[in-house]
Every structure is written in structure tokens, then in C-alpha cells.
Amino acid sequence: EKIIDARDIKYEDIIVSFACMHAGSVETDYGFFVNELPQIILKKGATVLVDAGDTKEGLKHSLMMKGEVIAGMNSTQQEKFAAHLVGTVIFKVFVKRFDDLISGLEKSKLTPEKIKELVLAALLWFYYILGNHDLWETEEGHEPLEVFKAHLARFLTEKIEKHLSSHGLPYIPILEMVES
């Protein structure tokens, strides 16, 4: 039996990052974000997506009054919108990768453990840091991007569960995997 030396194993993470999405801004190119970013991730074979800050536009400096925020979009709505934008990118990548992984497999023979393994293999790792726009609300006692985090987990969980169901796969709990 051959013993594998850990030094012979090559591990590689490919990272695609974005910053200053400013969800809620009238200036952000949302079409590029949800349509082109997934293609870039897939083309590069990225395994990690990093949001390097300023996920939302925020409201400080009278940005709404200056017309720099989509009319009426408060901080909570900006976080929900950001979750849908980021979730759409992650889900598009997931669908392509998952569908590629299960093509040719006999779906009726997939165990819940194997399905979980395939889901994890298809999901991007997602990390985010807080930018100054995100941190503005701390002055008012709010935890920045908490709404974003909760809505992103919910969005992805619902989408992935529906996608697995569309393949006739048995229900498996997805939330814990998505949150991790």
C-alpha cells in the first residue's frame, strides 16, 4: 500500500474578488455583476469569492437626498438587495458546477452523503469584510451586514433546495452547509 506524502499534494484556491459594490447606488452596474461575474468565476475556475467591503451604499452624507441612492432604498433594503445580488452570482456558479458534476451519474443511486459532497464541491466559499459604508450604521447601534448575511443564507438555501428537487433528488438539509 502506497503512503501519500502530504508534500506531494497540491492545494490551490483561486480567488475572485470585488469591492465597493455599493448595493443601492444608482451608479453600480448590476447587470455586469450578476451576468458577467459568474462567467469570470467559472472561466478562472475560482473556488473563493471575496467581497472586500462597501457591500452597500449606505445613507450617510445625505446620499439619498443627493440622488446617489435608488429612491427610497433604506439601509435594510440595501442589505437585502446586496444578498440577492451576491446570491445570484453564487447560485449561477453553483448550478453550472453541480449540473456538470451530476451529469452521467445515476441520480436514483445518489446517497444523501454523496449529494452533500456534490453540493459542497459546487459551492463557492464566500468571505466578506466590512467597508466604511457598511460600518456607518454602527454609530446608530446596528450590526453591519447582519440582514445581508441572513438573507444571503435564506436565498441560497431556497434556490439550492429547489434546484436539487428539480433533478428529482431527495431532500437534504442545505442551510447548515450554506451558512458554513
Side-chain angles (χ1 to χ4, degrees):
E1 185 175 352
K2 182 179 178 185
I3 297 174
I4 298 173
D5 188 329
R7 294 171 292 186
D8 294 333
I9 300 172
K10 305 293 183 220
Y11 295 100
E12 179 177 73
D13 284 322
I14 298 171
I15 300 169
V16 168
S17 66
F18 64 91
C20 302
M21 179 173 61
H22 294 147
S25 170
V26 297
E27 301 295 327
T28 300
D29 186 347
Y30 302 112
F32 176 86
F33 190 82
V34 298
N35 295 313
E36 300 302 320
L37 186 55
Q39 296 305 315
I40 293 167
I41 292 166
L42 290 166
K43 181 179 178 184
K44 298 293 182 183
T47 55
V48 179
L49 179 62
V50 174
D51 172 352
D54 286 358
T55 303
K56 64 182 180 180
E57 179 70 352
L59 299 173
K60 200 168 184 174
H61 307 299
S62 302
L63 292 177
M64 190 176 301
M65 298 304 291
K66 293 177 182 175
E68 294 182 32
V69 174
I70 295 170
M73 191 173 274
N74 66 30
S75 190
T76 300
Q77 292 164 329
Q78 289 176 31
E79 288 194 32
K80 289 178 181 179
F81 184 44
H84 283 256
L85 292 167
V86 172
T88 297
V89 170
I90 294 170
F91 183 66
K92 284 183 173 184
V93 171
F94 170 83
V95 166
K96 171 68 173 131
R97 290 182 174 166
F98 186 82
D99 289 357
D100 287 351
L101 288 169
I102 65 165
S103 70
L105 297 178
E106 195 170 330
K107 296 175 189 171
S108 63
K109 293 188 177 182
L110 291 176
T111 65
E113 292 76 26
K114 182 63 176 176
I115 295 168
K116 286 180 183 180
E117 181 184 310
L118 295 169
V119 167
L120 287 173
L123 267 175
L124 285 166
W125 286 98
F126 175 65
Y127 300 95
Y128 66 93
I129 61 172
L130 301 172
N132 65 311
H133 286 238
D134 306 316
L135 290 166
W136 288 341
E137 66 186 39
T138 60
E139 297 170 5
E140 299 165 358
H142 297 280
E143 292 281 334
L145 298 186
E146 285 299 307
V147 171
F148 166 77
K149 183 170 63 173
H151 276 267
L152 178 59
R154 179 178 164 195
F155 177 90
L156 285 171
T157 298
E158 289 176 2
K159 293 283 193 183
I160 292 169
E161 286 176 351
K162 285 179 184 174
H163 190 70
L164 297 179
S165 178
S166 76
H167 282 287
L169 297 172
Y171 171 81
I172 59 168
I174 298 296
L175 180 61
E176 189 175 310
M177 287 188 287
V178 168
E179 288 180 331
S180 73

